[in-house]
Amino acid sequence: MGTQWWTGHQLAELAERLVPGSVARADEVAAYLKPESLVETMRALRDSEEGDFVYLANLCAADYWTRFEVVYHIMSLEKNHLAVAKVEVFDRENPVVPSVVPVWYGAWMQECEAYDLFGIRFEGHPKLYRIFLWDGFPGWPLRKDWLSMPGGLQPGLNEFSGTARREPPPVRVVE
């Protein structure tokens, strides 16, 4: 039997039983958890016999213009099931989410990646830093508004951002 994917409703039901008031909403894909109880809820999902979500398979972020989402793919290796939890962040100027490094140590680099590319800070992270881009890099390149941000497009970065327009080379006719 293959991996069993939990629906967002299934994960939300378990999360709500383990930590009452921890779920903001759910859909078919994910349970949306409240940031103020995120660490407690993730720890409960990890430690519960029913969930046994001991492995953080992936942590990433998405920008929807009006909000960011931090996405957590969590897995039970023993029970072979996988679920998706999300946290929404509505403050574009200062996006902050609690760090889940105390729950899964493997979140360390994944949170650094989300910080580096989206500018989402993870409160309580042991040492949050840029891992792909250099200190002083202008902005957060995976944000939808990156090129319109102050410093978003600078000399030398037009090639990097994929926005440069080049004329095709002239066609040379040989007779």
Side-chain angles (χ1 to χ4, degrees):
M1 185 161 117
T3 302
Q4 178 194 1
W5 281 84
W6 281 32
T7 67
H9 299 293
Q10 289 173 302
L11 185 63
E13 181 184 317
L14 177 59
E16 195 62 35
R17 267 192 282 128
L18 296 171
V19 182
S22 62
V23 177
R25 65 186 173 89
D27 59 26
E28 282 303 308
V29 175
Y32 289 80
L33 304 177
K34 294 179 181 175
E36 59 271 16
S37 57
L38 176 67
V39 175
E40 178 186 5
T41 306
M42 292 300 212
R43 185 174 284 117
L45 289 168
R46 181 197 68 191
D47 296 343
S48 74
E49 190 174 317
E50 186 179 349
D52 186 46
F53 291 105
V54 297
Y55 181 61
L56 176 66
N58 182 45
L59 182 157
C60 59
D63 183 353
Y64 290 95
W65 285 108
T66 58
R67 72 187 190 287
F68 294 107
E69 286 182 359
V70 178
V71 183
Y72 306 85
H73 293 90
I74 56 178
M75 186 174 192
S76 169
L77 302 173
E78 178 87 16
K79 298 176 184 285
N80 198 24
H81 57 233
L82 190 87
V84 178
K86 296 182 179 184
V87 173
E88 295 176 302
V89 185
F90 294 95
D91 184 354
R92 288 190 73 80
E93 298 304 312
N94 187 31
V96 179
V97 172
S99 173
V100 294
V101 170
V103 182
W104 298 288
Y105 194 71
W108 182 300
M109 295 305 284
Q110 295 176 69
E111 288 180 350
C112 285
E113 179 180 356
Y115 166 70
D116 193 8
L117 300 175
F118 288 93
I120 300 170
R121 288 187 307 108
F122 291 86
E123 192 169 65
H125 189 283
K127 185 180 179 186
L128 196 61
Y129 59 93
R130 295 195 106 139
I131 60 171
F132 295 121
L133 303 167
W134 57 95
D135 287 335
F137 183 87
W140 318 103
L142 289 188
R143 285 192 183 191
K144 290 186 182 290
D145 58 357
W146 178 59
L147 291 178
S148 64
M149 295 172 75
L153 185 60
Q154 295 186 0
L157 290 179
N158 58 348
E159 297 293 324
F160 175 79
S161 68
T163 60
R165 283 270 198 243
R166 290 188 181 175
E167 293 297 318
V171 176
R172 200 170 118 189
V173 179
V174 178
E175 293 185 32

